[in-house]
Structures are given as structure tokens and as C-alpha cells.
Amino acid sequence: MKKFFLLFSLTFCSVVCAKTFVVGVQDIAFYPLYDFPNSSHSKELLDAFAKSRGYEFIYLPLPVKRTNYWYEEHAIDFKYPDSVRWIGDRSVYKQLKFSVPAVKLVAGTVVKAENRGKQRLEIKTLGTVLGFHATMWLDLIDSGNTKLVESTSPLNIVKQVLYGHIDATNIEPSVVNYYLALMGKENGLIIDKALPYEIYSYQLSTIEYEDVLLEFNQFIKSNQEFLELLRKKYNLTDIREY
């Protein structure tokens, strides 16, 4: 009887006592990286981690323009994606704790294939998602040399670059390639290595739950084969080329 009660208690607790966390995510279709609540690289990665620890993640899509205030306004437990690269003037940055890199990506300048090789000063219009930071172009935007063109639709920006309405975009290449494939325009746009680019990472951030963050770090370190399979499944940019 005692064994039965113990088994019942453990089973009951595994269902009822599972920790539930709210993860703030960007309210935008940025496939294959993320498109909550739909399947994507980010969702599959976070779901796999949560399942491995018996957690439940509730994803809360929030406005990209208010990224700096998510922790204060919505009392989220985690934010993904996040990055130390995006700290900027965020009022809570001193309290933030970041995971190890969950995935490494390319921040580059995407142009029409036939327009590669231009100088920075020749890029007069740069397209980006509304609320995203054109980190590597801030000097030319501030000087008035380069005009920032923003849209809530990554597809809209990709089309504008493809059809010559704007000169370039800083949208992540795997997202660009996804939309090009939908339009049957593979290889129509490329990262121009003559223009600024760098490797950066998506990270999980938190203020309160550093213990969970450490578990996430261990999950990342212990599941490299899974992460590589996930990268290939969603056709993410191979950073080894850069």
C-alpha cells in the first residue's frame, strides 16, 4: 500500500507540480527562426529543453517595439531570443542574466546578387523589421547617409530589396532565404561580405531564474548533436562560411 501511495504521489506531482514559466517572444513571423505559436527552430529548441526538465513553457508574443520593457510591463520569466548584443539602453539590463549561446547566426548585409561589392556609403536605403536595431549601420543612419526603411513584414522587406526599391537589408539570411524559396527566387539575394557582418548568438535571458538558466546551459552543452540536426532541419545559415 505504501508503494502504491508513493507511486501515486510521484505521478500526481509530475502532472500538478510541474513548474510553469512565461517566455516573452517577439510577435512577428520570423520563420524559420521563430513564428510563435507555430513550429520553428526557437520553439522546438525551447520545448525540448522544457520537456527534459519537466517544465511547461507558455509563450507570450509581445510587441517588438517594446522589447526593452517586457520584463517590467508583462512580468515574464524569460525572454527568447535575447542577446547581450541588444542590451542598449534597456532599463533592466543590470539585472539580466544570459545563457550560453543557444544558436549562432550571421548579422550581415543582404543585397541583390548583381549589386554585391558596393561601399558602405553607397547603401542609401536599408530595410529592417520594425523595432529591430540596425546595429552596424547606426553611424550612417545618424549622419543621414543611409535611410532606414522599416516594416512589420520580413517578406515585404525581402521583396523591396529583390525588386530594387531599397538597397539592402539586415534581416537574418536564413529568414531571407526562406522567403526567396517561397517566391522561387533562390539566390536572388546574398550576404555581401564586402559590407559589415558579424557572428552573434540567440540567448535565453532571465532576471529571477538563474537556476533554470544554468540547466538550460547544461542542456545546450550536452545536446550538440540535437542542435546540429535542428539547425539543418530549419536550414539555418552555416556560420562556418563566415
Side-chain angles (χ1 to χ4, degrees):
M1 185 68 178
K2 289 182 179 179
K3 289 183 178 180
F4 172 79
F5 179 76
L6 178 61
L7 179 61
F8 174 79
S9 298
L10 290 173
T11 303
F12 178 80
C13 192
S14 68
V15 175
V16 178
C17 301
K19 290 184 179 179
T20 300
F21 297 103
V22 177
V23 182
V25 297
Q26 295 179 341
D27 186 15
I28 189 170
F30 207 59
Y31 191 87
L33 292 174
Y34 52 85
D35 184 16
F36 292 93
N38 302 314
S39 179
S40 65
H41 181 276
S42 294
K43 187 173 188 299
E44 192 164 340
L45 170 62
L46 294 175
D47 283 349
F49 164 66
K51 183 178 180 180
S52 75
R53 302 300 304 182
Y55 299 144
E56 179 184 2
F57 279 174
I58 296 175
Y59 301 107
L60 179 62
L62 295 169
V64 178
K65 287 287 283 186
R66 300 293 295 174
T67 291
N68 290 1
Y69 307 97
W70 285 4
Y71 280 106
E72 298 167 308
E73 295 178 349
H74 299 280
I76 59 173
D77 301 312
F78 298 94
K79 179 178 181 294
Y80 191 90
D82 207 342
S83 175
V84 294
R85 189 171 177 266
W86 304 335
I87 285 177
D89 61 352
R90 292 160 71 180
S91 58
V92 299
Y93 83 93
K94 291 183 179 179
Q95 305 171 58
L96 286 176
K97 302 170 183 67
F98 292 89
S99 73
V100 299
V103 60
K104 292 185 178 181
L105 303 165
V106 181
T109 306
V110 176
V111 301
K112 289 184 71 172
E114 60 265 33
N115 290 339
R116 74 179 80 188
K118 287 187 176 183
Q119 300 297 313
R120 287 186 79 223
L121 291 173
E122 295 181 89
I123 302 300
K124 298 300 183 181
T125 48
L126 179 76
T128 194
V129 173
L130 183 67
F132 280 25
H133 298 288
T135 307
M136 294 179 290
W137 291 90
L138 294 179
D139 59 333
L140 294 187
I141 292 170
D142 291 342
S143 71
N145 180 88
T146 303
K147 178 184 177 181
L148 193 63
V149 179
E150 297 179 289
S151 173
T152 56
S153 167
L155 175 58
N156 178 37
I157 293 296
V158 169
K159 285 182 175 179
Q160 290 196 63
V161 180
L162 187 64
Y163 298 128
H165 301 308
I166 55 180
D167 297 327
T169 179
N170 68 338
I171 292 176
E172 210 285 328
S174 58
V175 178
V176 172
N177 290 337
Y178 168 72
Y179 285 115
L180 289 175
L182 285 184
M183 294 185 288
K185 300 288 186 179
E186 293 89 341
N187 304 315
L189 303 178
I190 62 163
I191 296 179
D192 191 343
K193 293 183 180 179
L195 294 170
Y197 70 89
E198 63 183 22
I199 304 300
Y200 72 105
S201 301
Y202 275 3
Q203 296 167 273
L204 183 67
S205 73
T206 189
I207 292 177
E208 297 184 37
Y209 298 99
E210 189 171 9
D211 55 333
V212 177
L213 208 63
L214 293 175
E215 292 172 347
F216 183 74
N217 289 347
Q218 186 57 51
F219 175 83
I220 294 298
K221 292 175 182 177
S222 302
N223 290 277
Q224 289 298 306
E225 184 176 350
F226 166 70
L227 295 179
E228 183 59 25
L229 290 173
L230 205 59
R231 173 182 283 278
K232 291 178 179 178
K233 176 180 178 179
Y234 288 100
N235 295 315
L236 300 194
T237 308
D238 189 345
I239 63 169
R240 291 173 296 183
E241 299 178 22
Y242 302 90

